[in-house]
Amino acid sequence: MSSLLLPRTPPPPLSAAPPFLSPRTHIPPHVYKHPAAILLELCTSMKELQQFLPLIIKNGLYNEHLFQTKLVSLFCKFGSLNDAVKVFEPIESKIDPLYHTLLKGYAQQSNFDAALKFFCRMKHDGVEQVVYNYSYLLRACADNFDVKRGKEIHAQLILNGFSANLYAMTSVMNLYAKSGVILEAYKMFDRMPERDLVCWNTVIAGFAQNGMPKKALELVSRMQEEGHSPDMVTVVSILPASANIRDLKIGRSIHAYVLRRGLESYVNVATALLDMYAKCGLIGTARRIFDGMGSRTVVSWNSIIDGYSQSGNSEEALDLFQKMLDEGLKPSNVTVMGALHACANLCDIKRGQFIHELVNQLGLDSDVSVMNSLISMYCKCKRVDVASDLFYKLKQKTLVSWNAMILGYAQNGRTIEAIRLFCKMQQQNIKRDSFTLVSVITAVAELSVLRQAKWIHGLSIRACLDKNVFVMTALVDMYAKCGAVHKARKLFDMMGERHVTTWNAMIDGYGTHGFGKEAVELFNEMCKGDIKPNDVTFLCIISACSHSGLVQEGRRYFTIMKEDYGLELSMDHYGAVVDLLGRAGQLNEAWDFIQKMPVEPGINVFGAMLGACKIHKNVDLGEKAADKLFDLEPDDGGYHVLLANIYAIASMWEKVAKVRTLMEKNGIQKTPGYSSVDLKNEMHTFYSGNTSHPQSEKIYSYLEKLIDRIKAAGYIPDTSSIHDVEDDVQEKLLNTHSEKLAISFGLLNTKPGTTIHIRKNLRVCGDCHNATKYISLVTKREIIVRDMHRFHHFKNGTCSCGDYW
């Protein structure tokens, strides 16, 4: 029993107290048996304490040591240190337990400076130190991750003769473990002549919580070999360890042990079990445990909500969150973050805004982790403007805040803002991590500027993160998206460790550059190794086959995906197969494939079909696909324009006019096409027929001469999609397409032999594709164009796509 809990029977003489406990004080029976003393023992709130206080004073018990100590203890317990001090200070004859109790109060309130100051006062006042005083201070150090002062307390323990005290050394071990200095904790543990179960639990939890789950599990085996059986605390520590390494076998063996020991009814054990199963991918088992729990804590709800969110069933996660609210439970910051993650996955802005209002009601708007989750949610719901507002109003920004906002800008196409924010972050000397760099690399990849790619690659090397698998994977993806697919492959080959996402990035890179055979070879190499392809890998390889006309290979991958790998087919996979067949001109097969789909075809499926019909000039199937698209997405201008182009190619001008009239009537806007080129740290953007650029006069003059040169080389303008204007006007309209303006600007402002990099927001039109081949021939320049689907490498009059795009 702690020296701070005074006995109900007369105590033994002072000499009987062990040296590490404080001497006991004699308390007359009429004091500790008084009803007021019993009321204090039963007191559960500050309100009750304030009601009992007049009774104590009225009965003349206020000056009794028992009541003074108990009042100090209760005021500390209910968070009122000021009241505890008001009771303590006026007492003339202070007994040691009073000091110990107030010190405990200071430490429990995480008021470490005040606790240390009071500890020094105790030494000055001649109070005999007991082991618990040091444990209180060590616990406060652990709560504040203050290793430096914790070591000072450790030194005091040794100097005061407590180095062999098991309780004291366990407290020191706990400090090191909680502060992330787990190896120091383990050194102490290894040197201890005797160890109890608490010691074992402390070091096991330390390894589990410091990212070393395998070591934690090894220690459990060693603990049992030394004759200690795991208890509830052990189980709650090692279940997260097995979850972190996704070892379902170990998790199930722990579950069996729980059942043998009858521990399954404890709420924290059941919560740890459901969390383990959820993280190991068995969300159904986790749900059965959750449903079978007699009582649940907020942590139980958090675990199951997060489990559903992480497993991709965000709708169920939000249903559970609503059920939790309906049952009157107050969500914690962790609950709210899990629900926001689910909203982000679903792009559900409406429910996200509801949770945002709830955050304000709960007073969680000062919690930086919650605000970071809100920023991420709004970014994923395409409301980067709201996210930006939250970010700039956030006073205590963390690295996670910066990372979330940079990634949000990058994912929403606002690449310049992402790079500017990163530069601002560097100016404020905020240390970047791997997530920061991955976010910026994502922005650079979207920008598709090779110079910027080399800049961020250099930064990664200087930050010593060029061996980080996530950073390297992002760099591989970035170089591929910046037109340097061979550089991407070099980085890929240099990597000592690769994840499935690394293979996906390289396969997709080959695919978008039209190197289908290389993509197939890499996929086959992957299948021979330890890392198995996932659903994204198959999407990448089928798309790669589509861009290169490898129809048989693409269809085979679609078949083996489910039959050999047991992977579920998504709408994207069906869309990729339609694109594969459609590009190859197998339009009837593509339409038949759509009709036989086991699920209702989505927008991307019919979109692929419509695009194929445009390439191969099939009006009938194009109309059928368009009708479906207009039902599914009536306000998308892109599909209307695509249908109008199909009609235009077929010279069905009345139907072209009908589509355009429908667009005007319904207020549907066409996405304006533009092309961008980077020059001297500045992005220059051109729209068709635009004359606002400072060099417009030079550009148009140069382009006119360039057109004459490529005509002489064999270029014939394709005016089939232009109607109701004279022939010379048709050519002028073609010659002012944004791609041609951007290429002319690049040729005018760079040295001979320099590769021109163009970024196009839409699909390259047939005439511009043909013209660019001739431009590369007559200017002897390599021109790399990235459109919305793929890359085109123009050189010496040919394109890497082989006119198959």
Side-chain angles (χ1 to χ4, degrees):
M1 180 180 288
S2 168
S3 61
L4 301 180
L5 298 177
L6 300 177
R8 293 184 180 278
T9 54
L14 296 182
S15 59
F20 55 87
L21 297 177
S22 63
R24 299 190 175 188
T25 305
H26 175 70
I27 302 170
H30 76 277
V31 173
Y32 67 77
K33 288 183 178 179
H34 195 279
I38 297 169
L39 286 173
L40 286 182
E41 288 291 335
L42 299 172
C43 186
T44 59
S45 68
M46 190 69 175
K47 185 178 178 181
E48 288 182 3
L49 182 57
Q50 288 169 342
Q51 290 172 342
F52 298 155
L53 197 54
L55 180 65
I56 294 167
I57 296 168
K58 183 179 177 182
N59 285 276
L61 298 167
Y62 186 78
N63 293 323
E64 292 289 344
H65 290 314
L66 170 67
F67 284 90
Q68 291 168 338
T69 305
K70 192 63 182 176
L71 285 170
V72 170
S73 176
L74 287 171
F75 277 126
C76 290
K77 179 182 177 182
F78 299 139
S80 184
L81 271 172
N82 288 336
D83 287 327
V85 171
K86 286 176 184 177
V87 174
F88 176 85
E89 289 298 354
I91 300 170
E92 293 181 5
S93 178
K94 298 180 179 71
I95 59 172
D96 285 4
L98 263 174
Y99 283 93
H100 304 322
T101 304
L102 189 55
L103 178 66
K104 181 182 179 182
Y106 277 121
Q108 285 180 335
Q109 297 295 320
S110 295
N111 194 341
F112 185 73
D113 290 329
L116 201 59
K117 186 177 178 182
F118 188 73
F119 179 74
C120 294
R121 175 182 168 180
M122 287 170 67
K123 293 177 74 174
H124 179 268
D125 290 355
V127 178
E128 186 176 345
Q129 298 297 342
V130 293
V131 69
Y132 300 109
N133 291 344
Y134 297 101
S135 70
Y136 300 149
L137 293 173
L138 286 166
R139 198 174 301 137
C141 288
D143 290 341
N144 290 282
F145 309 108
D146 194 336
V147 179
K148 184 180 178 183
R149 288 200 277 193
K151 286 183 175 180
E152 292 172 4
I153 306 298
H154 185 185
Q156 285 290 318
L157 266 172
I158 296 168
L159 289 172
N160 284 276
F162 292 111
S163 59
N165 183 281
L166 185 62
Y167 180 80
M169 291 303 105
T170 303
S171 296
V172 176
M173 220 167 57
N174 179 62
L175 158 75
Y176 290 136
K178 279 192 172 180
S179 301
V181 197
I182 184 62
L183 296 180
E184 287 293 321
Y186 187 65
K187 282 179 188 176
M188 288 194 62
F189 173 80
D190 234 16
R191 289 196 296 261
M192 292 172 80
E194 61 170 322
R195 308 181 190 102
D196 62 6
L197 188 56
V198 178
C199 277
W200 283 99
N201 285 342
T202 301
V203 74
I204 288 167
F207 277 112
Q209 292 164 5
N210 281 279
M212 300 173 74
K214 290 183 179 178
K215 183 65 177 176
L217 293 166
E218 285 172 15
L219 282 170
V220 176
S221 300
R222 185 176 152 193
M223 178 182 86
Q224 290 173 296
E225 288 168 6
E226 293 191 17
H228 293 281
S229 295
D231 65 357
M232 183 173 65
V233 177
T234 324
V235 167
V236 171
S237 296
I238 59 173
L239 276 169
S242 63
N244 287 341
I245 58 174
R246 304 294 189 268
D247 196 322
L248 189 58
K249 186 177 178 182
I250 291 176
R252 281 174 166 158
S253 69
I254 298 168
H255 192 177
Y257 179 83
V258 165
L259 295 172
R260 288 197 301 273
R261 290 291 301 271
L263 300 173
E264 69 275 10
S265 60
Y266 289 98
V267 66
N268 51 350
V269 173
T271 299
L273 277 169
L274 77 87
D275 184 65
M276 180 274 295
Y277 280 116
K279 285 178 178 171
C280 289
L282 295 182
I283 190 67
T285 306
R287 182 59 183 268
R288 284 193 291 275
I289 293 171
F290 178 80
D291 289 341
M293 291 173 71
S295 62
R296 306 183 188 110
T297 63
V298 172
V299 180
S300 312
W301 286 92
N302 293 349
S303 297
I304 195 68
I305 289 169
D306 186 62
Y308 273 112
S309 183
Q310 296 292 344
S311 68
N313 195 341
S314 296
E315 195 63 55
E316 186 62 28
L318 289 173
D319 287 346
L320 279 165
F321 178 69
Q322 187 60 54
K323 187 178 178 183
M324 180 185 177
L325 295 178
D326 293 342
E327 290 188 13
L329 278 159
K330 183 181 178 182
S332 68
N333 57 345
V334 177
T335 326
V336 168
M337 288 189 283
L340 286 170
H341 185 215
C343 291
N345 289 343
L346 294 169
C347 293
D348 192 332
I349 187 69
K350 190 174 180 181
R351 282 191 279 191
Q353 288 169 332
F354 164 76
I355 295 170
H356 190 174
E357 289 176 13
L358 188 62
V359 164
N360 294 331
Q361 291 169 17
L362 293 168
L364 293 172
D365 50 340
S366 59
D367 187 312
V368 68
S369 297
V370 171
M371 298 311 291
N372 291 341
S373 294
L374 276 169
I375 289 168
S376 294
M377 182 275 294
Y378 278 116
C379 286
K380 287 191 177 179
C381 292
K382 311 297 182 188
R383 289 302 306 273
V384 72
D385 55 327
V386 181
S388 177
D389 189 50
L390 290 174
F391 174 80
Y392 284 107
K393 286 179 180 176
L394 192 59
K395 293 179 181 177
Q396 300 296 324
K397 295 180 183 70
T398 63
L399 181 58
V400 177
S401 314
W402 289 89
N403 290 349
M405 197 64 245
I406 291 169
L407 184 61
Y409 277 135
Q411 290 175 336
N412 282 275
R414 294 171 66 167
T415 53
I416 302 299
E417 286 101 321
I419 295 168
R420 281 177 183 162
L421 189 61
F422 173 69
C423 293
K424 186 177 181 181
M425 178 182 168
Q426 286 188 295
Q427 289 167 4
Q428 294 185 19
N429 294 319
I430 297 165
K431 190 177 180 181
R432 54 189 175 254
D433 66 0
S434 59
F435 296 102
T436 320
L437 285 175
V438 168
S439 301
V440 183
I441 291 167
T442 302
V444 173
E446 182 62 27
L447 195 61
S448 197
V449 176
L450 190 57
R451 175 182 49 79
Q452 293 277 16
K454 291 176 179 177
W455 162 71
I456 196 65
H457 187 186
L459 271 178
S460 303
I461 295 169
R462 289 195 292 277
C464 300
L465 289 168
D466 55 319
K467 298 293 184 288
N468 181 284
V469 66
F470 300 105
V471 172
M472 287 299 289
T473 298
L475 286 170
V476 167
D477 182 62
M478 174 195 70
Y479 274 115
K481 287 178 177 174
C482 289
V485 70
H486 300 301
K487 174 67 175 177
R489 182 59 193 260
K490 281 183 183 178
L491 287 183
F492 177 86
D493 290 338
M494 287 167 55
M495 291 175 69
E497 178 190 4
R498 300 185 190 116
H499 289 176
V500 65
T501 50
T502 317
W503 290 89
N504 294 349
M506 194 65 244
I507 291 169
D508 185 60
Y510 274 138
T512 54
H513 283 268
F515 301 140
K517 290 181 180 178
E518 288 83 349
V520 169
E521 287 172 5
L522 190 61
F523 178 83
N524 292 337
E525 183 185 335
M526 179 187 184
C527 292
K528 293 173 185 175
D530 296 330
I531 298 173
K532 298 303 175 190
N534 62 10
D535 57 334
V536 177
T537 319
F538 278 98
L539 183 61
C540 292
I541 190 63
I542 295 169
S543 296
C545 291
S546 176
H547 286 302
S548 297
L550 305 174
V551 179
Q552 287 186 345
E553 290 89 339
R555 295 203 74 163
R556 183 172 68 84
Y557 293 133
F558 179 78
T559 302
I560 67 170
M561 178 181 166
K562 188 165 187 178
E563 290 183 0
D564 294 0
Y565 290 88
L567 296 169
E568 290 299 318
L569 298 165
S570 72
M571 196 60 67
D572 288 333
H573 295 100
Y574 288 110
V577 173
V578 171
D579 188 64
L580 172 80
L581 296 169
R583 282 180 192 274
Q586 299 179 21
L587 297 178
N588 290 327
E589 289 87 343
W591 188 254
D592 187 52
F593 176 83
I594 293 172
Q595 302 309 304
K596 293 178 180 177
M597 279 175 59
V599 293
E600 194 67 30
I603 294 169
N604 59 333
V605 174
F606 289 115
M609 188 70 208
L610 185 62
C613 290
K614 196 261 183 186
I615 294 169
H616 297 286
K617 307 178 178 67
N618 191 310
V619 176
D620 292 338
L621 288 177
E623 287 179 330
K624 290 180 181 179
D627 287 342
K628 295 288 186 181
L629 285 166
F630 297 163
D631 288 339
L632 292 168
E633 195 70 37
D635 298 326
D636 192 309
Y639 298 129
H640 287 79
V641 171
L642 208 51
L643 179 63
N645 288 341
I646 292 172
Y647 287 142
I649 292 168
S651 298
M652 300 170 73
W653 302 112
E654 288 183 8
K655 289 195 174 185
V656 171
K658 188 177 178 182
V659 173
R660 289 175 179 169
T661 302
L662 179 67
M663 289 177 70
E664 288 176 14
K665 181 182 176 182
N666 295 329
I668 299 170
Q669 296 293 318
K670 174 188 174 183
T671 302
Y674 65 83
S675 298
S676 302
V677 58
D678 176 67
L679 182 71
K680 297 178 182 177
N681 296 327
E682 188 176 353
M683 188 65 71
H684 297 261
T685 301
F686 298 88
Y687 291 86
S688 293
N690 186 265
T691 57
S692 62
H693 193 276
Q695 293 187 32
S696 284
E697 193 174 328
K698 286 184 180 178
I699 293 167
Y700 278 93
S701 174
Y702 178 84
L703 180 57
E704 189 176 344
K705 294 172 185 174
L706 185 61
I707 295 296
D708 290 338
R709 288 174 66 190
I710 64 176
K711 277 184 178 179
Y715 162 69
I716 300 171
D718 178 9
T719 60
S720 61
S721 61
I722 303 173
H723 177 54
D724 282 347
V725 291
E726 299 299 325
D727 289 350
D728 59 332
V729 178
Q730 288 179 347
E731 282 195 30
K732 283 183 180 179
L733 290 172
L734 282 178
N735 295 344
T736 58
H737 277 192
S738 65
E739 298 98 305
K740 296 187 182 82
L741 294 174
I743 291 169
S744 298
F745 172 79
L747 291 168
L748 267 171
N749 289 278
T750 55
K751 294 178 182 178
T754 305
T755 300
I756 307 293
H757 290 263
I758 305 294
R759 177 70 195 272
K760 169 80 177 175
N761 71 321
L762 302 176
R763 185 178 184 272
V764 173
C765 80
D767 180 73
C768 284
H769 186 270
N770 190 35
T772 307
K773 287 194 295 182
Y774 282 100
I775 292 170
S776 72
L777 178 67
V778 301
T779 61
K780 294 182 171 54
R781 296 280 198 110
E782 182 177 2
I783 302 169
I784 299 173
V785 178
R786 177 185 174 185
D787 71 9
M788 68 183 296
H789 293 303
R790 60 165 298 154
F791 278 87
H792 298 267
H793 294 254
F794 298 94
K795 192 174 183 180
N796 297 327
T798 62
C799 178
S800 60
C801 73
D803 294 338
Y804 186 89
W805 92 102

